Protein backbone atom coordinates (compact mmCIF):
# COMPACT_ATOMS: atom_id res chain seq x y z
CA UNK A 1 0.00 0.00 0.00
CA UNK A 2 1.36 3.40 -0.95
CA UNK A 3 2.42 5.63 1.91
CA UNK A 4 0.13 8.44 0.77
CA UNK A 5 -3.06 6.39 1.11
CA UNK A 6 -5.28 7.89 3.80
CA UNK A 7 -6.16 5.43 6.58
CA UNK A 8 -9.51 5.90 8.34
CA UNK A 9 -10.07 4.24 11.72
CA UNK A 10 -13.61 3.57 12.93
CA UNK A 11 -14.62 2.16 16.31
CA UNK A 12 -18.09 0.70 16.75
CA UNK A 13 -19.95 -1.63 19.10
CA UNK A 14 -21.51 -3.58 16.23
CA UNK A 15 -20.17 -3.80 12.69
CA UNK A 16 -22.58 -5.13 10.05
CA UNK A 17 -21.25 -6.17 6.65
CA UNK A 18 -24.00 -5.70 4.09
CA UNK A 19 -26.82 -3.18 3.85
CA UNK A 20 -29.48 -5.45 2.37
CA UNK A 21 -32.54 -6.87 4.07
CA UNK A 22 -30.71 -8.95 6.70
CA UNK A 23 -28.22 -6.22 7.58
CA UNK A 24 -30.91 -3.55 7.91
CA UNK A 25 -33.09 -5.77 10.07
CA UNK A 26 -30.15 -6.71 12.30
CA UNK A 27 -29.30 -3.05 12.85
CA UNK A 28 -32.94 -2.20 13.52
CA UNK A 29 -33.41 -4.89 16.16
CA UNK A 30 -30.05 -4.31 17.83
CA UNK A 31 -30.79 -0.58 18.11
CA UNK A 32 -34.18 -1.32 19.68
CA UNK A 33 -32.55 -3.49 22.33
CA UNK A 34 -29.41 -1.42 22.92
CA UNK A 35 -30.23 2.23 22.25
CA UNK A 36 -27.22 4.47 22.36
CA UNK A 37 -24.74 1.79 21.34
CA UNK A 38 -22.89 2.51 18.12
CA UNK A 39 -23.92 0.48 15.09
CA UNK A 40 -22.13 0.74 11.73
CA UNK A 41 -23.36 -0.78 8.46
CA UNK A 42 -20.75 -1.08 5.72
CA UNK A 43 -21.77 -1.96 2.17
CA UNK A 44 -19.75 -2.24 -1.03
CA UNK A 45 -22.67 -0.73 -2.93
CA UNK A 46 -24.15 2.77 -2.59
CA UNK A 47 -25.14 3.86 0.90
CA UNK A 48 -28.72 2.89 1.76
CA UNK A 49 -29.27 1.06 -1.53
CA UNK A 50 -30.81 -1.94 0.21
CA UNK A 51 -28.89 -4.64 -1.63
CA UNK A 52 -30.87 -7.19 -3.63
CA UNK A 53 -34.02 -6.27 -1.71
CA UNK A 54 -34.30 -3.06 -3.73
CA UNK A 55 -34.52 -5.13 -6.94
CA UNK A 56 -37.11 -7.51 -5.50
CA UNK A 57 -40.82 -7.34 -6.20
CA UNK A 58 -41.64 -7.21 -2.50
CA UNK A 59 -43.50 -10.54 -2.26
CA UNK A 60 -43.31 -12.02 1.23
CA UNK A 61 -43.87 -15.47 2.69
CA UNK A 62 -45.51 -15.67 6.08
CA UNK A 63 -47.45 -18.24 8.05
CA UNK A 64 -50.87 -16.65 8.48
CA UNK A 65 -54.12 -18.24 9.69
CA UNK A 66 -55.59 -20.68 8.95
CA UNK A 67 -52.14 -22.13 8.10
CA UNK A 68 -49.92 -23.30 10.95
CA UNK A 69 -46.16 -23.46 11.42
CA UNK A 70 -46.33 -27.25 11.62
CA UNK A 71 -48.11 -27.45 8.24
CA UNK A 72 -45.51 -25.22 6.59
CA UNK A 73 -42.70 -27.21 8.20
CA UNK A 74 -44.11 -30.44 6.76
CA UNK A 75 -44.24 -28.81 3.32
CA UNK A 76 -40.61 -27.68 3.51
CA UNK A 77 -39.24 -31.01 4.76
CA UNK A 78 -40.93 -32.57 1.72
CA UNK A 79 -39.86 -29.78 -0.66
CA UNK A 80 -36.22 -29.89 0.51
CA UNK A 81 -36.08 -33.71 0.22
CA UNK A 82 -35.26 -33.92 3.91
CA UNK A 83 -32.42 -31.35 3.83
CA UNK A 84 -34.31 -29.08 6.19
CA UNK A 85 -32.90 -27.93 9.52
CA UNK A 86 -36.21 -28.37 11.27
CA UNK A 87 -35.48 -26.50 14.54
CA UNK A 88 -34.09 -23.55 12.55
CA UNK A 89 -36.93 -23.53 10.04
CA UNK A 90 -39.56 -23.79 12.76
CA UNK A 91 -38.03 -20.77 14.50
CA UNK A 92 -38.03 -18.77 11.25
CA UNK A 93 -41.60 -19.66 10.33
CA UNK A 94 -42.82 -18.82 13.84
CA UNK A 95 -41.55 -15.25 13.42
CA UNK A 96 -42.57 -14.71 9.80
CA UNK A 97 -45.99 -13.21 10.49
CA UNK A 98 -44.51 -10.69 12.94
CA UNK A 99 -42.05 -9.42 10.34
CA UNK A 100 -44.82 -9.06 7.76
CA UNK A 101 -46.87 -7.07 10.29
CA UNK A 102 -43.80 -4.92 10.94
CA UNK A 103 -43.60 -4.11 7.24
CA UNK A 104 -47.29 -3.18 7.23
CA UNK A 105 -46.69 -0.99 10.27
CA UNK A 106 -43.79 0.65 8.40
CA UNK A 107 -46.16 1.55 5.56
CA UNK A 108 -45.45 -1.29 3.10
CA UNK A 109 -48.68 -2.56 1.56
CA UNK A 110 -49.59 -6.04 0.38
CA UNK A 111 -52.19 -6.81 -2.25
CA UNK A 112 -55.78 -7.32 -1.11
CA UNK A 113 -58.73 -8.81 -2.96
CA UNK A 114 -61.89 -6.68 -3.47
CA UNK A 115 -63.43 -8.17 -0.32
CA UNK A 116 -60.45 -7.00 1.76
CA UNK A 117 -58.59 -10.27 2.16
CA UNK A 118 -54.87 -10.59 1.57
CA UNK A 119 -54.19 -12.11 -1.82
CA UNK A 120 -52.01 -15.22 -1.66
CA UNK A 121 -50.27 -17.21 -4.40
CA UNK A 122 -49.53 -20.91 -3.73
CA UNK A 123 -45.93 -21.93 -4.32
CA UNK A 124 -44.40 -24.91 -6.13
CA UNK A 125 -47.52 -27.04 -5.86
CA UNK A 126 -47.16 -27.19 -2.06
CA UNK A 127 -50.34 -27.48 0.04
CA UNK A 128 -49.62 -24.58 2.41
CA UNK A 129 -46.56 -22.55 1.40
CA UNK A 130 -47.65 -19.34 -0.31
CA UNK A 131 -46.48 -15.79 -0.89
CA UNK A 132 -48.30 -12.51 -0.37
CA UNK A 133 -47.71 -10.08 -3.26
CA UNK A 134 -46.72 -6.49 -2.69
CA UNK A 135 -49.32 -3.87 -3.57
CA UNK A 136 -46.94 -2.04 -5.90
CA UNK A 137 -45.70 -4.62 -8.36
CA UNK A 138 -42.13 -3.74 -9.35
CA UNK A 139 -41.34 -1.50 -6.38
CA UNK A 140 -42.24 -3.47 -3.26
CA UNK A 141 -38.66 -4.32 -2.30
CA UNK A 142 -37.50 -0.75 -2.78
CA UNK A 143 -40.21 0.51 -0.41
CA UNK A 144 -39.21 -2.12 2.17
CA UNK A 145 -35.60 -0.95 2.06
CA UNK A 146 -36.54 2.72 2.36
CA UNK A 147 -38.83 2.04 5.31
CA UNK A 148 -36.03 0.31 7.21
CA UNK A 149 -33.42 2.94 6.35
CA UNK A 150 -35.74 5.66 7.68
CA UNK A 151 -35.88 3.92 11.05
CA UNK A 152 -32.13 3.44 11.16
CA UNK A 153 -31.64 7.15 10.56
CA UNK A 154 -33.90 7.89 13.53
CA UNK A 155 -31.92 5.41 15.65
CA UNK A 156 -28.60 7.04 14.76
CA UNK A 157 -27.18 4.02 12.92
CA UNK A 158 -24.12 4.89 10.82
CA UNK A 159 -24.42 3.71 7.23
CA UNK A 160 -21.38 3.69 4.95
CA UNK A 161 -21.38 2.83 1.26
CA UNK A 162 -18.84 2.09 -1.46
CA UNK A 163 -16.49 0.35 0.99
CA UNK A 164 -15.18 -3.08 0.10
CA UNK A 165 -14.11 -5.05 3.16
CA UNK A 166 -11.55 -7.72 2.39
CA UNK A 167 -10.47 -9.32 5.69
CA UNK A 168 -11.69 -9.91 9.21
CA UNK A 169 -9.27 -9.16 12.02
CA UNK A 170 -9.14 -11.98 14.58
CA UNK A 171 -7.39 -11.99 17.91
CA UNK A 172 -7.45 -14.67 20.59
CA UNK A 173 -10.07 -16.55 18.56
CA UNK A 174 -12.44 -13.58 18.44
CA UNK A 175 -13.34 -11.31 15.54
CA UNK A 176 -12.38 -7.79 16.58
CA UNK A 177 -12.82 -5.87 13.33
CA UNK A 178 -12.20 -5.75 9.60
CA UNK A 179 -10.20 -3.88 6.97
CA UNK A 180 -10.97 -2.67 3.48
CA UNK A 181 -10.99 0.27 1.11
CA UNK A 182 -13.28 2.84 -0.45
CA UNK A 183 -13.88 1.83 -4.05
CA UNK A 184 -14.15 5.44 -5.24
CA UNK A 185 -11.61 7.42 -3.22
CA UNK A 186 -9.16 4.57 -2.62
CA UNK A 187 -8.90 5.43 1.09
CA UNK A 188 -8.18 2.57 3.51
CA UNK A 189 -10.43 1.64 6.44
CA UNK A 190 -9.71 -0.18 9.69
CA UNK A 191 -12.80 -1.03 11.74
CA UNK A 192 -12.59 -2.05 15.40
CA UNK A 193 -15.77 -3.73 16.61
CA UNK A 194 -17.16 -5.48 19.66
CA UNK A 195 -19.16 -7.86 17.46
CA UNK A 196 -19.57 -8.42 13.73
CA UNK A 197 -22.57 -9.57 11.70
CA UNK A 198 -22.00 -11.00 8.23
CA UNK A 199 -25.01 -10.08 6.09
CA UNK A 200 -23.09 -10.10 2.83
CA UNK A 201 -25.38 -12.37 0.84
CA UNK A 202 -24.46 -15.45 -1.14
CA UNK A 203 -21.83 -16.19 -3.73
CA UNK A 204 -22.44 -15.73 -7.41
CA UNK A 205 -21.08 -15.33 -10.91
CA UNK A 206 -22.08 -11.73 -11.80
CA UNK A 207 -24.95 -12.61 -14.11
CA UNK A 208 -28.03 -10.56 -14.94
CA UNK A 209 -31.46 -10.69 -13.22
CA UNK A 210 -30.24 -8.30 -10.54
CA UNK A 211 -27.71 -10.85 -9.32
CA UNK A 212 -24.54 -9.10 -10.46
CA UNK A 213 -23.47 -8.04 -6.97
CA UNK A 214 -23.28 -11.25 -4.83
CA UNK A 215 -19.81 -12.69 -5.36
CA UNK A 216 -19.00 -14.58 -2.17
CA UNK A 217 -16.35 -12.39 -0.56
CA UNK A 218 -18.24 -12.49 2.74
CA UNK A 219 -18.18 -16.28 2.65
CA UNK A 220 -14.47 -16.31 1.84
CA UNK A 221 -13.67 -13.82 4.60
CA UNK A 222 -15.59 -15.86 7.17
CA UNK A 223 -13.91 -19.12 6.15
CA UNK A 224 -10.46 -17.56 6.32
CA UNK A 225 -11.32 -16.29 9.80
CA UNK A 226 -12.17 -19.84 10.95
CA UNK A 227 -15.89 -20.23 10.23
CA UNK A 228 -17.35 -23.32 8.56
CA UNK A 229 -19.39 -23.38 5.35
CA UNK A 230 -22.19 -25.60 4.09
CA UNK A 231 -24.34 -26.46 1.05
CA UNK A 232 -21.85 -25.27 -1.57
CA UNK A 233 -23.06 -27.92 -4.04
CA UNK A 234 -26.33 -26.03 -4.49
CA UNK A 235 -26.71 -23.12 -6.87
CA UNK A 236 -29.67 -21.32 -8.36
CA UNK A 237 -30.13 -21.80 -12.09
CA UNK A 238 -32.97 -19.50 -13.09
CA UNK A 239 -35.19 -19.24 -16.16
CA UNK A 240 -34.64 -15.93 -17.92
CA UNK A 241 -35.86 -14.26 -21.12
CA UNK A 242 -33.06 -14.33 -23.66
CA UNK A 243 -33.36 -10.62 -24.49
CA UNK A 244 -34.20 -8.92 -21.17
CA UNK A 245 -34.42 -9.36 -17.39
CA UNK A 246 -37.66 -10.03 -15.56
CA UNK A 247 -38.94 -10.60 -12.02
CA UNK A 248 -42.12 -12.50 -11.34
CA UNK A 249 -42.29 -16.03 -12.73
CA UNK A 250 -43.11 -17.05 -9.17
CA UNK A 251 -46.54 -15.56 -9.92
CA UNK A 252 -46.76 -16.53 -13.55
CA UNK A 253 -46.60 -20.32 -13.31
CA UNK A 254 -49.17 -20.85 -10.52
CA UNK A 255 -51.53 -18.65 -12.55
CA UNK A 256 -51.20 -20.71 -15.71
CA UNK A 257 -48.07 -19.76 -17.69
CA UNK A 258 -45.96 -22.58 -19.07
CA UNK A 259 -42.88 -23.42 -21.13
CA UNK A 260 -43.21 -25.13 -24.50
CA UNK A 261 -40.55 -26.52 -26.83
CA UNK A 262 -40.25 -25.78 -30.54
CA UNK A 263 -42.88 -28.44 -31.21
CA UNK A 264 -45.34 -26.57 -29.01
CA UNK A 265 -45.26 -29.27 -26.34
CA UNK A 266 -45.79 -28.42 -22.68
CA UNK A 267 -42.73 -30.52 -21.91
CA UNK A 268 -42.75 -30.13 -18.12
CA UNK A 269 -45.99 -32.10 -18.03
CA UNK A 270 -43.99 -34.98 -19.50
CA UNK A 271 -41.23 -34.70 -16.88
CA UNK A 272 -43.71 -34.15 -14.04
CA UNK A 273 -47.33 -35.05 -14.83
CA UNK A 274 -48.40 -33.94 -11.34
CA UNK A 275 -46.73 -30.52 -11.13
CA UNK A 276 -46.08 -29.61 -14.75
CA UNK A 277 -44.47 -26.15 -14.99
CA UNK A 278 -45.75 -25.06 -11.55
CA UNK A 279 -42.54 -25.96 -9.77
CA UNK A 280 -39.14 -24.61 -8.82
CA UNK A 281 -37.04 -23.19 -11.70
CA UNK A 282 -34.37 -25.70 -10.70
CA UNK A 283 -36.55 -28.45 -12.16
CA UNK A 284 -37.80 -26.55 -15.19
CA UNK A 285 -34.22 -25.71 -16.18
CA UNK A 286 -33.37 -29.42 -16.06
CA UNK A 287 -36.27 -29.99 -18.42
CA UNK A 288 -35.09 -27.14 -20.66
CA UNK A 289 -31.56 -28.57 -20.82
CA UNK A 290 -32.83 -32.03 -21.71
CA UNK A 291 -35.18 -30.65 -24.37
CA UNK A 292 -32.43 -28.60 -26.00
CA UNK A 293 -30.00 -31.52 -25.86
CA UNK A 294 -32.62 -33.68 -27.58
CA UNK A 295 -32.98 -31.12 -30.37
CA UNK A 296 -36.35 -29.74 -29.28
CA UNK A 297 -35.25 -26.19 -28.52
CA UNK A 298 -35.64 -23.28 -28.39
CA UNK A 299 -37.81 -22.98 -25.28
CA UNK A 300 -40.75 -20.58 -25.48
CA UNK A 301 -42.59 -18.95 -22.59
CA UNK A 302 -46.30 -19.32 -23.31
CA UNK A 303 -48.55 -16.81 -21.53
CA UNK A 304 -51.76 -17.61 -23.42
CA UNK A 305 -53.34 -19.54 -20.50
CA UNK A 306 -53.15 -16.50 -18.16
CA UNK A 307 -56.47 -14.97 -17.14
CA UNK A 308 -57.11 -11.28 -17.69
CA UNK A 309 -58.17 -10.69 -14.08
CA UNK A 310 -54.75 -11.85 -12.85
CA UNK A 311 -52.81 -9.30 -14.88
CA UNK A 312 -52.88 -6.71 -12.10
CA UNK A 313 -50.68 -9.06 -10.07
CA UNK A 314 -48.23 -9.46 -12.93
CA UNK A 315 -47.78 -6.19 -14.77
CA UNK A 316 -45.35 -3.83 -13.02
CA UNK A 317 -46.77 -0.49 -11.97
CA UNK A 318 -43.51 1.28 -11.14
CA UNK A 319 -39.77 0.77 -10.64
CA UNK A 320 -37.16 -0.81 -12.88
CA UNK A 321 -39.54 -3.44 -14.21
CA UNK A 322 -42.02 -0.80 -15.36
CA UNK A 323 -39.24 0.97 -17.26
CA UNK A 324 -38.22 -2.34 -18.77
CA UNK A 325 -41.79 -3.28 -19.66
CA UNK A 326 -42.55 0.09 -21.30
CA UNK A 327 -39.38 -0.06 -23.36
CA UNK A 328 -40.22 -3.58 -24.53
CA UNK A 329 -43.73 -2.54 -25.52
CA UNK A 330 -42.33 0.34 -27.59
CA UNK A 331 -40.16 -2.21 -29.37
CA UNK A 332 -43.26 -4.26 -30.14
CA UNK A 333 -42.84 -6.95 -27.48
CA UNK A 334 -45.44 -7.40 -24.73
CA UNK A 335 -44.45 -10.12 -22.26
CA UNK A 336 -48.10 -10.68 -21.33
CA UNK A 337 -49.35 -11.03 -24.88
CA UNK A 338 -46.42 -12.34 -26.90
CA UNK A 339 -44.56 -15.61 -26.46
CA UNK A 340 -40.83 -15.09 -25.83
CA UNK A 341 -37.73 -17.27 -25.87
CA UNK A 342 -36.31 -18.11 -22.45
CA UNK A 343 -33.02 -19.73 -21.43
CA UNK A 344 -31.50 -21.16 -18.23
CA UNK A 345 -29.03 -18.91 -16.44
CA UNK A 346 -26.78 -19.81 -13.53
CA UNK A 347 -27.09 -16.97 -11.03
CA UNK A 348 -25.98 -17.49 -7.43
CA UNK A 349 -24.70 -20.06 -4.98
CA UNK A 350 -26.98 -21.28 -2.21
CA UNK A 351 -23.99 -22.12 -0.03
CA UNK A 352 -23.15 -20.05 3.00
CA UNK A 353 -21.71 -19.78 6.48
CA UNK A 354 -22.66 -22.55 8.89
CA UNK A 355 -24.47 -20.99 11.82
CA UNK A 356 -26.71 -21.93 14.71
CA UNK A 357 -30.36 -21.00 15.04
CA UNK A 358 -29.34 -17.70 16.65
CA UNK A 359 -26.80 -16.90 13.91
CA UNK A 360 -23.69 -17.74 15.92
CA UNK A 361 -20.74 -19.19 14.00
CA UNK A 362 -17.64 -21.17 14.96
CA UNK A 363 -15.80 -17.86 15.50
CA UNK A 364 -16.49 -15.86 18.66
CA UNK A 365 -18.04 -12.48 17.96
CA UNK A 366 -18.97 -13.35 14.35
CA UNK A 367 -22.63 -13.90 13.48
CA UNK A 368 -24.35 -14.63 10.16
CA UNK A 369 -27.73 -13.54 8.83
CA UNK A 370 -29.74 -13.75 5.64
CA UNK A 371 -28.30 -15.48 2.61
CA UNK A 372 -24.79 -15.15 4.04
CA UNK A 373 -25.80 -18.33 5.85
CA UNK A 374 -27.25 -21.24 3.92
CA UNK A 375 -30.97 -21.77 4.45
CA UNK A 376 -32.22 -23.72 1.43
CA UNK A 377 -30.76 -26.62 -0.61
CA UNK A 378 -30.98 -25.15 -4.09
CA UNK A 379 -34.75 -24.98 -4.39
CA UNK A 380 -36.61 -21.79 -3.76
CA UNK A 381 -40.17 -20.59 -3.20
CA UNK A 382 -41.20 -17.05 -4.07
CA UNK A 383 -41.00 -14.62 -1.16
CA UNK A 384 -38.82 -17.00 0.87
CA UNK A 385 -35.71 -14.82 0.66
CA UNK A 386 -37.43 -11.63 1.84
CA UNK A 387 -38.97 -13.57 4.72
CA UNK A 388 -35.82 -15.38 5.83
CA UNK A 389 -33.55 -12.34 5.52
CA UNK A 390 -35.95 -10.27 7.61
CA UNK A 391 -36.38 -12.95 10.26
CA UNK A 392 -32.72 -14.00 10.53
CA UNK A 393 -31.64 -10.35 10.55
CA UNK A 394 -34.06 -9.62 13.40
CA UNK A 395 -32.91 -12.74 15.28
CA UNK A 396 -29.19 -12.07 14.91
CA UNK A 397 -29.69 -8.48 16.04
CA UNK A 398 -31.01 -9.95 19.28
CA UNK A 399 -28.15 -12.45 19.45
CA UNK A 400 -25.48 -9.79 19.01
CA UNK A 401 -27.11 -7.59 21.66
CA UNK A 402 -27.22 -10.44 24.19
CA UNK A 403 -23.66 -11.48 23.38
CA UNK A 404 -22.26 -7.98 23.83
CA UNK A 405 -23.99 -7.63 27.18
CA UNK A 406 -22.15 -10.68 28.49
CA UNK A 407 -18.89 -10.54 26.55
CA UNK A 408 -15.75 -8.99 27.90
CA UNK A 409 -14.28 -6.03 26.06
CA UNK A 410 -12.81 -6.86 22.67
CA UNK A 411 -9.04 -7.39 22.62
CA UNK A 412 -6.98 -4.62 21.09
CA UNK A 413 -6.41 -4.72 17.36
CA UNK A 414 -3.08 -5.97 16.15
CA UNK A 415 -2.01 -2.93 14.14
CA UNK A 416 0.70 -4.85 12.29
CA UNK A 417 -1.82 -7.48 11.19
CA UNK A 418 -4.24 -4.80 10.00
CA UNK A 419 -1.55 -3.12 7.94
CA UNK A 420 -0.37 -6.43 6.49
CA UNK A 421 -3.93 -7.23 5.41
CA UNK A 422 -4.28 -3.83 3.80
CA UNK A 423 -0.95 -4.23 2.00
CA UNK A 424 -2.24 -7.49 0.55
CA UNK A 425 -5.56 -5.93 -0.45
CA UNK A 426 -3.89 -3.02 -2.28
CA UNK A 427 -1.08 -5.06 -3.87
CA UNK A 428 -2.79 -5.53 -7.29
CA UNK A 429 -2.70 -1.76 -7.84
CA UNK A 430 1.06 -2.01 -8.19
CA UNK A 431 1.05 -4.77 -10.79
CA UNK A 432 2.04 -3.68 -14.27
CA UNK A 433 3.35 -5.28 -17.41
CA UNK A 434 2.18 -6.94 -20.58
CA UNK A 435 1.32 -10.22 -18.84
CA UNK A 436 -1.22 -8.73 -16.42
CA UNK A 437 -4.91 -9.56 -16.72
CA UNK A 438 -8.05 -7.57 -16.01
CA UNK A 439 -10.65 -8.95 -13.57
CA UNK A 440 -13.12 -9.21 -16.46
CA UNK A 441 -10.78 -11.47 -18.44
CA UNK A 442 -10.44 -13.87 -15.54
CA UNK A 443 -14.15 -13.74 -14.67
CA UNK A 444 -15.05 -14.77 -18.21
CA UNK A 445 -12.86 -17.85 -17.91
CA UNK A 446 -14.39 -18.81 -14.55
CA UNK A 447 -17.86 -18.45 -16.02
CA UNK A 448 -16.85 -20.61 -19.01
CA UNK A 449 -15.71 -23.32 -16.58
CA UNK A 450 -18.85 -23.35 -14.42
CA UNK A 451 -21.72 -22.45 -16.77
CA UNK A 452 -21.87 -25.53 -19.09
CA UNK A 453 -25.10 -27.42 -18.49
CA UNK A 454 -23.27 -30.60 -17.42
CA UNK A 455 -21.57 -28.63 -14.62
CA UNK A 456 -24.45 -26.41 -13.52
CA UNK A 457 -27.74 -28.17 -14.38
CA UNK A 458 -27.46 -31.83 -15.36
CA UNK A 459 -24.18 -32.53 -13.61
CA UNK A 460 -21.88 -35.47 -14.22
CA UNK A 461 -18.53 -36.53 -12.77
CA UNK A 462 -16.26 -36.12 -15.82
CA UNK A 463 -17.60 -32.65 -16.58
CA UNK A 464 -17.19 -31.59 -12.94
CA UNK A 465 -13.63 -32.93 -12.83
CA UNK A 466 -12.80 -31.02 -16.01
CA UNK A 467 -14.27 -27.82 -14.54
CA UNK A 468 -12.32 -28.30 -11.29
CA UNK A 469 -9.05 -28.69 -13.17
CA UNK A 470 -9.69 -25.50 -15.12
CA UNK A 471 -10.64 -23.53 -11.99
CA UNK A 472 -7.47 -24.66 -10.23
CA UNK A 473 -5.43 -23.68 -13.27
CA UNK A 474 -7.03 -20.23 -13.20
CA UNK A 475 -6.32 -19.92 -9.47
CA UNK A 476 -2.68 -20.87 -9.93
CA UNK A 477 -1.86 -19.09 -13.17
CA UNK A 478 -4.26 -16.20 -13.66
CA UNK A 479 -5.48 -14.88 -10.31
CA UNK A 480 -1.92 -13.80 -9.39
CA UNK A 481 -1.65 -11.89 -12.69
CA UNK A 482 -4.78 -9.78 -12.16
CA UNK A 483 -4.12 -6.06 -11.90
CA UNK A 484 -6.33 -3.09 -11.09
CA UNK A 485 -5.98 0.37 -12.58
CA UNK A 486 -7.80 2.08 -9.70
CA UNK A 487 -9.85 1.37 -6.60
CA UNK A 488 -13.01 0.64 -8.60
CA UNK A 489 -11.31 -2.16 -10.48
CA UNK A 490 -9.61 -3.24 -7.26
CA UNK A 491 -13.11 -4.01 -5.96
CA UNK A 492 -13.82 -5.99 -9.14
CA UNK A 493 -10.57 -7.88 -8.66
CA UNK A 494 -11.41 -8.92 -5.11
CA UNK A 495 -14.85 -9.99 -6.30
CA UNK A 496 -13.27 -12.25 -8.92
CA UNK A 497 -10.96 -13.77 -6.29
CA UNK A 498 -14.06 -14.62 -4.25
CA UNK A 499 -15.86 -16.02 -7.31
CA UNK A 500 -12.90 -18.35 -7.88
CA UNK A 501 -13.11 -19.44 -4.23
CA UNK A 502 -16.85 -20.16 -4.49
CA UNK A 503 -16.47 -21.85 -7.89
CA UNK A 504 -13.90 -24.32 -6.61
CA UNK A 505 -15.98 -25.25 -3.58
CA UNK A 506 -19.16 -25.48 -5.66
CA UNK A 507 -17.58 -27.99 -8.03
CA UNK A 508 -15.86 -29.96 -5.25
CA UNK A 509 -19.07 -30.16 -3.23
CA UNK A 510 -20.97 -31.26 -6.34
CA UNK A 511 -18.49 -34.11 -6.74
CA UNK A 512 -18.85 -35.05 -3.06
CA UNK A 513 -22.65 -35.39 -3.24
CA UNK A 514 -23.04 -38.60 -5.21
CA UNK A 515 -26.81 -38.54 -5.48
CA UNK A 516 -29.68 -36.44 -6.81
CA UNK A 517 -31.51 -34.52 -4.09
CA UNK A 518 -33.27 -31.14 -3.84
CA UNK A 519 -31.36 -28.62 -5.96
CA UNK A 520 -28.59 -31.02 -6.97
CA UNK A 521 -28.99 -33.25 -10.03
CA UNK A 522 -26.25 -35.76 -10.88
CA UNK A 523 -26.97 -37.52 -14.16
CA UNK A 524 -24.47 -40.23 -13.19
CA UNK A 525 -26.14 -40.61 -9.76
CA UNK A 526 -29.80 -39.96 -10.66
CA UNK A 527 -31.35 -41.33 -7.46
CA UNK A 528 -31.34 -40.26 -3.83
CA UNK A 529 -28.87 -41.92 -1.50
CA UNK A 530 -30.73 -44.75 0.27
CA UNK A 531 -28.78 -43.90 3.44
CA UNK A 532 -30.95 -40.81 3.72
CA UNK A 533 -30.36 -37.06 3.64
CA UNK A 534 -27.03 -35.63 4.78
CA UNK A 535 -25.32 -32.25 4.74
CA UNK A 536 -21.80 -31.55 3.58
CA UNK A 537 -19.97 -29.05 5.76
CA UNK A 538 -16.65 -27.48 4.84
CA UNK A 539 -14.08 -26.80 7.53
CA UNK A 540 -10.33 -26.24 7.70
CA UNK A 541 -8.41 -29.50 7.43
CA UNK A 542 -5.17 -30.22 9.23
CA UNK A 543 -3.32 -28.79 6.23
CA UNK A 544 -5.37 -25.60 6.37
CA UNK A 545 -7.24 -26.43 3.17
CA UNK A 546 -10.99 -26.95 2.85
CA UNK A 547 -12.12 -30.36 4.11
CA UNK A 548 -15.57 -31.82 3.42
CA UNK A 549 -17.46 -33.47 6.26
CA UNK A 550 -20.65 -35.48 5.76
CA UNK A 551 -23.23 -35.19 8.54
CA UNK A 552 -26.45 -37.15 8.48
CA UNK A 553 -29.68 -35.23 9.04
CA UNK A 554 -30.94 -36.40 12.49
CA UNK A 555 -34.53 -37.01 11.41
CA UNK A 556 -35.15 -39.36 14.33
CA UNK A 557 -34.70 -36.44 16.76
CA UNK A 558 -36.97 -34.03 14.94
CA UNK A 559 -40.67 -33.41 14.62
CA UNK A 560 -41.42 -34.23 10.99
CA UNK A 561 -40.47 -37.64 9.53
CA UNK A 562 -39.38 -37.86 5.90
CA UNK A 563 -42.16 -39.93 4.34
CA UNK A 564 -42.05 -38.44 0.82
CA UNK A 565 -39.72 -36.31 -1.29
CA UNK A 566 -40.43 -33.60 -3.82
CA UNK A 567 -37.89 -35.23 -6.15
CA UNK A 568 -40.31 -38.17 -6.52
CA UNK A 569 -42.57 -35.96 -8.68
CA UNK A 570 -40.08 -36.01 -11.58
CA UNK A 571 -39.06 -38.63 -14.11
CA UNK A 572 -36.00 -37.00 -15.66
CA UNK A 573 -34.13 -40.33 -15.61
CA UNK A 574 -36.59 -41.93 -18.02
CA UNK A 575 -37.13 -38.81 -20.12
CA UNK A 576 -33.45 -38.19 -20.77
CA UNK A 577 -33.45 -41.14 -23.17
CA UNK A 578 -36.33 -39.79 -25.24
CA UNK A 579 -35.73 -40.05 -29.02
CA UNK A 580 -33.74 -37.20 -30.54
CA UNK A 581 -35.61 -34.88 -32.90
Amino acid sequence: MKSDVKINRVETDLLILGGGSAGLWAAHRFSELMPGRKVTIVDKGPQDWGGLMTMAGGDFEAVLPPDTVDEWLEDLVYYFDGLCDQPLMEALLARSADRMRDYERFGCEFFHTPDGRLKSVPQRGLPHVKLYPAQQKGRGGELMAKSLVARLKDAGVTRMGRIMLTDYLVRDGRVVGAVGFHCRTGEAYIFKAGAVIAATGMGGWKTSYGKNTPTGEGMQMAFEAGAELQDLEFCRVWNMPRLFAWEGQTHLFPLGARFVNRLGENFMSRYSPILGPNTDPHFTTIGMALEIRAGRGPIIFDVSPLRGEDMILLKPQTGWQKLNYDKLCKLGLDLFKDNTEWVPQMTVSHGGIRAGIDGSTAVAGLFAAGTARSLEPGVYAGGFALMTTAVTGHMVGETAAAWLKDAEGAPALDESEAMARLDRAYAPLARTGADTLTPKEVLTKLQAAVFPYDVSIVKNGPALEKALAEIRRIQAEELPRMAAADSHYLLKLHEVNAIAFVSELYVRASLERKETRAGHFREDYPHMDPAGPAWFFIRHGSDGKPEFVRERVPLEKWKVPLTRCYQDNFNFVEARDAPKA
Side-chain angles (χ1 to χ4, degrees), residues 439-510:
K440 177 68 173 179
E441 289 174 309
V442 180
L443 171 64
T444 300
K445 294 181 180 181
L446 287 167
Q447 291 171 334
V450 177
F451 284 2
Y453 78 93
D454 50 6
V455 177
S456 59
I457 305 175
V458 186
K459 307 175 190 179
N460 68 66
L464 290 166
E465 292 284 5
K466 179 181 176 182
L468 181 58
E470 173 62 5
I471 292 166
R472 286 176 167 166
R473 185 198 66 78
I474 293 169
Q475 290 173 319
E477 299 177 9
E478 302 197 0
L479 292 187
R481 292 167 54 199
M482 281 196 300
D486 54 34
S487 55
H488 169 73
Y489 287 101
L490 186 61
L491 175 145
K492 301 294 184 186
L493 184 148
H494 283 286
E495 287 184 329
V496 172
N497 274 322
I499 290 170
F501 173 82
V502 171
S503 297
E504 180 194 356
L505 294 183
Y506 162 71
V507 174
R508 289 183 60 187
S510 295

Side-chain angles (χ1 to χ4, degrees), residues 64 104 110-120 132 135:
L64 302 180
E104 291 180 309
F110 296 92
F111 193 87
H112 287 72
T113 59
D115 61 1
R117 292 181 296 109
L118 277 169
K119 172 70 175 179
S120 63
Y132 295 91
Q135 178 67 38

Side-chain angles (χ1 to χ4, degrees), residues 318-333:
T318 185
W320 70 271
Q321 280 191 270
K322 181 67 163 60
L323 294 173
N324 205 353
Y325 178 68
D326 290 344
K327 185 180 293 186
L328 290 168
C329 288
K330 288 180 181 179
L331 294 173
L333 178 61

Side-chain angles (χ1 to χ4, degrees), residues 25 28-29 32 60-62 91-92 94-106 108 110 144 386-395 398:
W25 272 103
H28 173 65
R29 184 56 174 159
E32 284 185 325
F60 199 86
E61 281 191 10
L92 301 186
R95 294 187 179 214
S96 61
D98 289 339
R99 302 292 75 76
M100 185 172 174
R101 294 188 189 101
D102 282 341
Y103 272 131
E104 291 180 309
R105 181 166 53 87
F106 295 165
C108 300
F110 296 92
M144 288 175 166
L386 283 180
M387 181 271 283
T388 54
T389 51
V391 173
T392 58
H394 190 273
M395 290 172 67
E398 293 181 351

Side-chain angles (χ1 to χ4, degrees), residues 4 88 125 177 216 222 268 334 339 504:
D4 61 348
L88 169 63
M268 282 307 297
D334 189 331
N339 293 340
E504 180 194 356

